[in-house]
Amino acid sequence: MSLLSALLALRRDPRILRLPPYVSALCILIGVGWLLLLPLNEYSRQTYVSENAILPGQVHTYFGGSEHNIFRAYRHEVAGLAESSEEERVGKLGDIFRSSGLKVAAQKYEYTAAGRNTTGKNVYAILQGPRADATEAVVLIAAWRNMDGVLNQSGVALVLTLARYFKRWSVWSKDIIFLIPSDSTAGPQAWVDAYHSGHDPETIESLPLKSGALQAAVAVDYPAGPWGHRFDKLHIIYDGINGQLPNLDLFNTAVSIASGQMGIGCTIQRMWNHRDTYSERLQTMLRGMLSAGLGHATGPHSSFIPYHVDAITLQTVGDGWHDEMSLGRTVESLFRSLNNLLEHLHQSFFLYLLMHANRFVSIGTYLPSAMLVAVSFTIASIALWVQSGQPTEKATVGVWHSDEADAKEQDVTVVEQDGMTALISTAELKVVERHMLLPIAFVSAAHFLGLLPLYVFTRASATTLTTTFYAFATSTALLPALSAVALSRLFAPTSQQWALTACFSLLLLGLFLSALATLNFSLAILVGVLGSPLCLVPALITSTPSRTSVPSTSVAAGADTSSSHRTTSTGIGGSVANVTLYVLLLAASPPALLLAACHYWNANVGAVLAAAGTAWHVQGAWTGVVVCLVWWPAWFVAAVGVAAGGLGL
């Protein structure tokens, strides 16, 4: 009998209900600690080429000699077009491609984003492989202006030279497309959209010339002026839109050819002097995660990756002894390796974290960290669900009074099972009905409310974005308190309903983050860590004192869960604690964190939002969707609960 009584009492033991906040915090700490272990040799691996057909660096390169003179002539031609009109520039570049015996076409495009019109004209040429049947193609790109807006003089000249050079070879089993877009973001996006017939014909012209399925793309960023510039290293940029990555074999092939065959050092994530120490590995990995989490384009190659076209950008950095011929031979050897492919790159990893040009971590090693962070919200949600079903009367199992009058007042029930009998407090056996309509409606409304800032920030002009942001930040600070007052006046929610509201919000957040981790791990871990205070808020509100003698948890955790009982108002100490918690929660809000990040990196918040709006309209980046429809609604629901507790509603 004592064992059965103890087991039944354990279900509602208040000590068990105090554990979830600590378990959630432990999951977050373990998840973050897991990331900190990844740069160690025991958890990361040396990069390697999985596809045997690539044979990186196994061919002799012949680019050089007289091609150097042709390159310098083309570079002066490109420099002369710097101040020319777009039509004149495209016409001249097209004539150079035609002189090499290639088929040439052009494409106009226009985008409207952040109140600005982005227009341009791409020019491209197709080299039909002598051994090809027009079913496969690779792309060589040199944007007219790079990501910094600098004229890519030597890069464009190198592509023109390689087009003439490749035309003389009969080894090509794939078509080669030479693309020179007007810029590094909108131009490549318009071209690759039109190539796959995914464009809007009203704003983007269709391509008059096409080849086969694109197998890979390589962009060259070499902005040296008309007199050239010798570089030290190759900065290999591989980040795609929405955190997508090219097949690791393409990256490894480029590194193997550049460093192994040509003797050119390679670096990633702007780590110019990587000494392969733990701290620098960690910094490189975190930089890559931040770039992937933002989901923006990092080069002309980024637009190709969403179409399952593996692509990278080769950017020259530093002052050294390598010249354009070294870069040209690197590109030649890389294209010879891609020419060996019999099928699309598929054997190596598509989901990975790089911490050095020769070291990486695969998804199976790093994914548990994001899942641990996501499960912390689920644990907090389950705890709130259990607490919302707790009876309001205090249980008396195992507590017997010597006073006869008190003993008679105790309401107990005899429970018999398997020949055993136990006396259980009737309050322990009481079934509490959960009223879920209002919590579900409010959480749904909060997520739909997130559509408003998403629409405003993606439609506002660049000149008004800063003002719009500060107006939104002010609204974010005031709206939870106003919503708490309105809800209390109109619906008078019970503490159970407040608990269920927080429960459903945290459950959705954990669900979204666990699903997002398989699509964009970096964004999931960023939102999870920055939003981690949300899963601890209910426990912090629960700890505030109450004026009533019946133990009450709070408006968010809800021990008083009967529909006939309304939320008990907190005392002066509880109000002060909740107001303090509300202020801290405001500091952890998405607008506040965005403003802090802009201050840290010395960036203008209006320019950041304009870039985000452009990425949404042009490249389809959905980082803003996650922030406005997942993170901000979860924060808003938690803030409303805290505001209700602080106001004693």
Side-chain angles (χ1 to χ4, degrees):
M1 184 177 70
S2 60
L3 178 60
L4 178 61
S5 178
L7 291 177
L8 290 174
L10 187 61
R11 297 182 307 166
R12 304 181 189 275
D13 192 331
R15 292 173 296 181
I16 298 297
L17 297 180
R18 286 197 292 265
L19 287 179
Y22 300 101
V23 176
S24 295
L26 182 62
C27 287
I28 295 172
L29 292 176
I30 294 176
V32 174
W34 195 297
L35 283 178
L36 299 179
L37 292 176
L38 296 180
L40 299 175
N41 289 332
E42 292 79 5
Y43 298 93
S44 58
R45 288 190 280 175
Q46 194 81 11
T47 57
Y48 58 93
V49 177
S50 300
E51 179 59 69
N52 294 326
I54 293 181
L55 299 175
Q58 299 300 308
V59 297
H60 184 73
T61 56
Y62 297 93
F63 186 74
S66 61
E67 304 300 329
H68 196 186
N69 297 326
I70 295 172
F71 168 82
R72 286 183 291 185
Y74 281 154
R75 185 165 58 190
H76 283 281
E77 291 274 2
V78 172
L81 296 173
E83 303 299 329
S84 302
S85 65
E86 189 170 57
E87 292 294 334
E88 182 180 355
R89 168 173 56 82
V90 170
K92 181 62 176 179
L93 294 176
D95 291 339
I96 295 176
F97 279 129
R98 290 188 187 93
S99 66
S100 300
L102 306 178
K103 294 182 179 180
V104 182
Q107 176 207 28
K108 290 183 179 180
Y109 63 88
E110 179 181 359
Y111 289 103
T112 301
R116 297 177 295 191
N117 289 333
T118 302
T119 60
K121 192 172 184 179
N122 301 323
V123 59
Y124 66 101
I126 298 179
L127 167 60
Q128 294 180 327
R131 301 182 180 183
D133 54 0
T135 58
E136 296 177 340
V138 290
V139 186
L140 180 59
I141 313 164
W144 184 253
R145 294 192 179 275
N146 62 13
M147 292 294 293
D148 298 326
V150 180
L151 182 61
N152 188 18
Q153 292 188 18
S154 295
V156 173
L158 183 61
V159 167
L160 296 174
T161 308
L162 287 172
R164 181 181 181 276
Y165 173 74
F166 286 171
K167 178 63 177 177
R168 304 204 310 262
W169 285 83
S170 60
V171 299
W172 307 113
S173 60
K174 293 176 175 58
D175 291 350
I176 302 178
I177 302 175
F178 303 93
L179 172 63
I180 302 179
S182 296
D183 60 14
S184 294
T185 53
Q189 188 67 51
W191 188 88
V192 74
D193 284 344
Y195 194 92
H196 295 89
S197 301
H199 64 296
D200 182 4
E202 295 184 0
T203 58
I204 302 174
E205 284 186 352
S206 299
L207 298 182
L209 291 178
K210 291 185 180 181
S211 181
L214 301 182
Q215 300 295 302
V218 178
V220 178
D221 183 2
Y222 187 20
W227 304 109
H229 175 75
R230 294 181 178 269
F231 61 93
D232 180 39
K233 296 178 181 178
L234 279 182
H235 181 223
I236 302 180
I237 309 173
Y238 57 91
D239 309 279
I241 298 169
N242 294 324
Q244 294 175 299
L245 301 171
N247 188 276
L248 190 56
D249 269 347
L250 178 61
F251 176 86
N252 292 338
T253 301
V255 172
S256 176
I257 291 172
S259 59
Q261 185 180 10
M262 303 300 168
I264 305 175
C266 296
T267 185
I268 58 175
Q269 301 300 339
R270 298 182 177 273
M271 296 292 292
W272 311 130
N273 298 303
H274 203 303
R275 294 182 294 273
D276 201 22
T277 61
Y278 170 83
S279 60
E280 292 185 337
R281 286 184 184 181
L282 179 62
Q283 186 178 357
T284 303
M285 183 185 72
L286 294 179
R287 286 188 177 190
M289 290 176 59
L290 180 61
S291 178
L294 294 177
H296 64 296
T298 56
H301 69 284
S302 298
S303 302
F304 289 79
I305 299 179
Y307 287 96
H308 304 289
V309 180
D310 303 307
I312 57 173
T313 293
L314 305 179
Q315 182 185 49
T316 59
V317 294
D319 298 320
W321 56 275
H322 301 290
D323 61 0
E324 52 272 4
M325 292 297 102
S326 299
L327 181 58
R329 286 191 293 270
T330 301
V331 176
E332 177 190 359
S333 183
L334 181 56
F335 270 69
R336 290 288 299 275
S337 294
L338 295 174
N339 190 58
N340 295 333
L341 287 176
L342 301 177
E343 53 187 338
H344 199 87
L345 288 171
H346 66 280
Q347 290 195 13
S348 192
F349 298 94
F350 287 95
L351 299 170
Y352 51 86
L353 294 176
L354 284 170
M355 52 197 65
H356 186 266
N358 296 307
R359 202 153 197 92
F360 79 105
V361 177
S362 65
I363 182 174
T365 305
Y366 66 73
L367 185 61
S369 61
M371 291 302 180
L372 283 169
V373 174
V375 81
S376 65
F377 298 98
T378 306
I379 292 173
S381 173
I382 294 174
L384 288 169
W385 175 264
V386 172
Q387 291 177 11
S388 68
Q390 293 291 309
T392 58
E393 301 176 24
K394 191 174 181 180
T396 57
V397 175
V399 180
W400 307 104
H401 299 278
S402 57
D403 185 80
E404 183 177 354
D406 291 340
K408 290 181 179 180
E409 291 178 359
Q410 293 179 1
D411 187 8
V412 296
T413 301
V414 179
V415 178
E416 296 183 0
Q417 182 177 353
D418 298 331
M420 295 185 293
T421 304
L423 295 177
I424 305 297
S425 173
T426 303
E428 286 290 327
L429 302 177
K430 183 178 180 181
V431 177
V432 178
E433 180 182 1
R434 292 182 174 93
H435 299 271
M436 298 186 292
L437 179 59
L438 179 61
I440 292 176
F442 180 67
V443 172
S444 301
H447 282 271
F448 278 107
L449 185 63
L451 290 171
L452 182 60
L454 178 64
Y455 178 84
V456 170
F457 286 125
T458 55
R459 298 290 178 178
S461 64
T463 56
T464 61
L465 274 174
T466 301
T467 304
T468 303
F469 170 77
Y470 284 110
F472 172 69
T474 304
S475 302
T476 298
L478 299 177
L479 190 59
L482 298 177
S483 300
V485 173
L487 281 174
S488 299
R489 296 287 177 84
L490 296 176
F491 303 102
T494 64
S495 57
Q496 181 202 67
Q497 289 172 321
W498 285 116
L500 289 173
T501 300
C503 168
F504 295 147
S505 178
L506 293 175
L507 182 64
L508 282 177
L509 183 57
L511 175 65
F512 286 140
L513 292 181
S514 59
L516 181 62
T518 60
L519 301 175
N520 189 342
F521 165 83
S522 301
L523 181 57
I525 196 74
L526 285 175
V527 173
V529 172
L530 294 177
S532 58
L534 302 183
C535 67
L536 304 177
V537 165
L540 295 176
I541 305 179
T542 302
S543 63
T544 60
S546 174
R547 291 187 312 207
T548 61
S549 59
V550 179
S552 171
T553 52
S554 71
V555 293
D560 182 10
T561 57
S562 173
S563 60
S564 61
H565 290 77
R566 299 301 172 190
T567 307
T568 58
S569 59
T570 58
I572 296 177
S575 297
V576 172
N578 282 335
V579 170
T580 304
L581 182 59
Y582 185 74
V583 173
L584 294 176
L585 201 58
L586 285 177
S589 65
L593 292 177
L594 174 59
L595 197 60
C598 291
H599 178 74
Y600 179 79
W601 278 288
N602 196 24
N604 181 271
V605 65
V608 171
L609 292 174
T614 302
W616 163 260
H617 285 285
V618 177
Q619 293 131 7
W622 33 259
T623 302
V625 176
V626 174
V627 173
C628 293
L629 300 185
V630 176
W631 182 14
W632 185 84
W635 178 91
F636 174 73
V637 171
V640 170
V642 175
L647 297 174
L649 302 175

